[in-house]
């Protein structure tokens, strides 16, 4: 909810919050799990991470 609040009225705020929540919920299995994560589980997580990186880049880089 802090991310969404920080993004304010940006159109990506809701999707960014959802992406971050999903990444955080998968963290335990990915980081501490005893089995490898499958490609089917990893691909959507990578897409969510990419979404957040692109959003962050858009926030910190001025538009010319």
């Amino acid at each position: 909810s802090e991310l969404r609040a920080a993004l304010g009225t940006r159109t990506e705020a809701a999707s960014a919050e959802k992406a971050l929540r999903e990444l955080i919920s998968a963290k335990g299995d990915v980081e501490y799990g005893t089995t490898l994560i499958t490609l089917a589980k990893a691909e959507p997580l990578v897409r969510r991470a990419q979404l957040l990186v692109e959003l962050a880049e858009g926030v910190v880089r001025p538009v010319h």
Side-chain angles (χ1 to χ4, degrees), residues 36-53:
L36 294 176
I37 188 169
T38 65
L39 184 59
K41 280 187 168 183
E43 285 179 331
L45 295 173
V46 169
R47 283 194 300 273
R48 285 168 183 80
Q50 287 172 329
L51 178 139
L52 292 172
V53 168

Side-chain angles (χ1 to χ4, degrees), residues 9-25:
T9 60
R10 289 180 176 267
T11 57
E12 309 93 337
S15 60
E17 179 186 9
K18 182 180 177 187
L20 184 58
R21 285 185 189 277
E22 291 174 2
L23 287 169
I24 290 171
S25 72

